[in-house]
Amino acid sequence: MTSLVRRLRVFLIVIGPLYSVVVFAYVVLEGTGSACSGAGSSFHCWEITYASKWGFTGSLVVGAMMILTLGPALSAKLRGRMPSILSAVLIPIVMAVDISHGWPWLPAWAAVLAAAIAGPPTRKASLTFSRPTDDTPTYPA
């Protein structure tokens, strides 16, 4: 059971940034349409990507989202929850700044929130008791 929990925590660390990279790649590569210019032999067309319409605020929002989804990885490195919690709180605030560019990161925020709740994975799973239990082996003195 403990191994399953650890694997789930590792999954939560990886899925947020992975989703963020996929969304970023999509908006940079996929387009809203094409534009053409010229006539005859100088006629040419190009694709207009979603990213080309971001503007300054949109670029800041996307950059902040990319960085904030790394909060659970930083939590795992530091062995504390604070970076994940801070990311889980800041992502909705950044989304509110520009919802039209921030909404694709909503599933990444859910992963960051889940990672903040679950906490970072532990290195070793061991149970320790403050005093002996009924099944503690006794050795002759």
Side-chain angles (χ1 to χ4, degrees):
M1 180 70 173
T2 306
S3 175
L4 178 65
V5 171
R6 186 180 191 299
R7 286 182 185 177
L8 179 63
R9 287 178 177 177
V10 170
F11 174 76
L12 289 173
I13 289 170
V14 173
I15 194 66
L18 182 63
Y19 178 84
S20 188
V21 168
V22 168
V23 169
F24 181 75
Y26 177 78
V27 297
V28 168
L29 298 176
E30 187 59 34
T32 61
S34 296
C36 299
S37 73
S41 64
S42 65
F43 180 78
H44 64 283
C45 294
W46 61 92
E47 189 171 354
I48 300 170
T49 65
Y50 294 112
S52 66
K53 295 185 174 188
W54 280 342
F56 182 71
T57 306
S59 297
L60 286 178
V61 167
V62 170
M65 291 297 188
M66 296 288 293
I67 291 169
L68 288 172
T69 56
L70 294 172
L74 185 59
S75 285
K77 178 104 173 120
L78 298 176
R79 300 270 175 233
R81 291 183 184 211
M82 191 51 72
S84 291
I85 293 170
L86 191 61
S87 291
V89 169
L90 288 177
I91 286 175
I93 294 170
V94 172
M95 273 189 210
V97 169
D98 191 354
I99 194 73
S100 65
H101 295 102
W103 73 266
W105 276 265
L106 193 60
W109 172 68
V112 169
L113 182 62
I117 292 169
T122 56
R123 288 193 184 225
K124 66 176 190 173
S126 65
L127 295 175
T128 56
F129 298 98
S130 58
R131 58 187 170 174
T133 59
D134 290 339
D135 61 343
T136 303
T138 56
Y139 299 101

